[in-house]
Amino acid sequence: MTVLAHIGHWYHVFLYLAPVLLVAGGLWFAGRRLPEEGEDGFDHDGEPLEPDAPSGA
């Protein structure tokens, strides 16, 4: 029972920490879903990459 009594001293920390963890988790998840560099179809200047030439020419 002593452990439960100490939760009253810490619950406000969890209330402040919960939104921070939610935002950090959302940013981490969104960052994982972004395409890797070079996979978005644009070069470093923002210009579209040229399509590959047909191989049966």
Side-chain angles (χ1 to χ4, degrees):
M1 288 307 259
T2 306
V3 175
L4 292 177
H6 290 286
I7 290 176
H9 298 286
W10 289 95
Y11 77 93
H12 62 280
V13 173
F14 296 119
L15 291 177
Y16 285 109
L17 196 58
V20 173
L21 293 176
L22 185 66
V23 170
L27 290 172
W28 174 78
F29 183 73
R32 288 190 48 179
R33 297 188 63 199
L34 289 174
E36 294 295 326
E37 186 175 338
E39 293 181 0
D40 59 355
F42 295 94
D43 63 6
H44 293 288
D45 297 327
E47 299 293 324
L49 293 175
E50 308 237 347
D52 294 335
S55 59

